[in-house]
Amino acid sequence: MKILVVDDSKAMRNIVMRTLRQAGYDGHELVEAANGVEALAAWKAGRPDLVLSDWNMPEMNGIELLRALKSENVAVQFGFITSEGTADLQGMAK
């Protein structure tokens, strides 16, 4: 399984990847991107099975990334990892 971890913070990407390895995903390929633009390019280059994305990033945020993938009819598992939990952000995810 190929997992794409998207976050503008290198430290957070490292935390997510370390957590995935500790959770038993150490044999899987982990790919990084610093924003949605990089993530979209990484998806096109390698077609990961799962995208774990931060919500708030420069260039292209997580919801814009998800919408870009959907507009290209991409069928990929997608999850958000964020410390933000405002009602506005929660409503956008629906």
Side-chain angles (χ1 to χ4, degrees), residues 1-5 17 20-21 25-32 42 45-50:
M1 174 186 285
K2 182 184 278 190
I3 302 170
L4 175 57
V5 178
M17 291 188 303
L20 287 168
R21 288 182 187 107
Y25 291 88
D26 53 334
H28 300 276
E29 184 178 354
L30 302 178
V31 180
E32 301 177 58
R47 310 231 186 238
D49 304 294
L50 172 65

Side-chain angles (χ1 to χ4, degrees), residues 2-70:
K2 182 184 278 190
I3 302 170
L4 175 57
V5 178
V6 188
D7 199 302
D8 56 318
S9 166
K10 175 71 172 167
M12 287 306 297
R13 291 194 310 268
N14 287 337
I15 289 168
V16 171
M17 291 188 303
R18 183 177 61 235
T19 301
L20 287 168
R21 288 182 187 107
Q22 291 172 346
Y25 291 88
D26 53 334
H28 300 276
E29 184 178 354
L30 302 178
V31 180
E32 301 177 58
N35 58 54
V37 173
E38 287 183 17
L40 194 56
W43 186 88
K44 289 176 180 179
R47 310 231 186 238
D49 304 294
L50 172 65
V51 177
L52 298 175
S53 178
D54 186 18
W55 193 284
N56 189 15
M57 299 176 289
E59 304 293 324
M60 178 188 288
N61 66 35
I63 196 74
E64 292 167 337
L65 170 60
L66 177 59
R67 288 178 180 152
L69 290 169
K70 283 185 174 185

